[in-house]
Amino acid sequence: MRIRRLLRGRPDFFVSAKAPAPIPARHPALRAGLVPASLDPQVRAIGHVATAHVASVPVDLDAVVLTRQDGRFVLHIVPARRLHDVADEGLVQIALRDLDLKPLVVTAEDLKAEPRRSNVEQVWSHNRRFVPLGLRIRILQVLRDDGPVELVRLLESIQSDRDPTPSVLSLFCDDLLEIDLTSAPLGPLSIVRSRS
């Protein structure tokens, strides 16, 4: 929590529940690509590899790494891509291969694709929102008892004097819940699952 407070207002770092350390993200397109990765149920962890070595030659990678069940991927956000000269690019590619990192290319069009973009913005607007422990427990208990449920059913089953929607959306950002953000706009029939 202390790191999050220190980094608040620092747009050159991205903080996520899936990242054990802040990710350098100086380019706005990279930040825009990290948000959906943080909410993607397939992504288990987000990391950063600053440098690597190829035959004892240091190589500046500055690579964002997404760990998923199907492997580890280097996130290439096309609008944020750094240009290397030919020799450096060759070393970068060798280093990525040696680290067993497959490319995951995201274009500007991918970042703007709907309904994902609107869904991601709506959910992420509740990132870092405080959720009282009692409410957090009730939300997680409903999902534990009933399994995956429709969003409307989850919200109706939570006993609270305030609208629980912002708290539920915050738990997506905290990597405690998951929901499909790509196939349809968020709505009452969207299915919510626990991450455990």
Side-chain angles (χ1 to χ4, degrees), residues 24-36:
R26 292 165 195 89
H27 198 285
L30 177 56
R31 294 181 64 76
L34 283 167
V35 173

Side-chain angles (χ1 to χ4, degrees), residues 12-126:
D12 50 343
F13 285 99
F14 181 81
V15 178
S16 166
K18 292 184 180 180
I23 306 292
R26 292 165 195 89
H27 198 285
L30 177 56
R31 294 181 64 76
L34 283 167
V35 173
S38 294
L39 298 173
D40 185 341
Q42 292 182 28
V43 175
R44 298 293 179 205
I46 303 172
H48 180 258
V49 179
T51 60
H53 287 82
V54 174
S56 75
V57 175
V59 179
D60 180 26
L61 285 184
D62 192 26
V64 174
V65 177
L66 305 181
T67 303
R68 306 186 327 189
Q69 274 187 299
D70 57 344
R72 291 175 11 120
F73 297 83
V74 61
L75 183 62
H76 286 300
I77 306 291
V78 173
R81 188 173 282 171
R82 289 181 12 196
L83 298 176
H84 299 282
D85 65 30
V86 175
D88 287 344
E89 184 61 28
L91 288 174
V92 166
Q93 293 306 315
I94 292 168
L96 294 176
R97 187 194 67 221
D98 290 350
L99 292 169
D100 197 25
L101 294 173
K102 297 169 255 187
L104 181 63
V105 178
V106 178
T107 65
E109 292 76 25
D110 295 332
L111 294 174
K112 295 175 189 172
E114 293 294 348
R116 187 177 87 162
R117 180 181 179 175
S118 295
N119 288 341
V120 164
E121 287 175 0
Q122 185 173 17
V123 172
W124 199 253
S125 70
H126 298 280

Side-chain angles (χ1 to χ4, degrees), residues 168-188:
V168 169
L169 296 179
S170 179
L171 295 182
F172 292 122
C173 301
D174 291 342
D175 198 32
L176 295 174
L177 303 179
E178 63 182 54
I179 195 166
D180 177 12
L181 298 174
T182 58
S183 53
L186 286 179

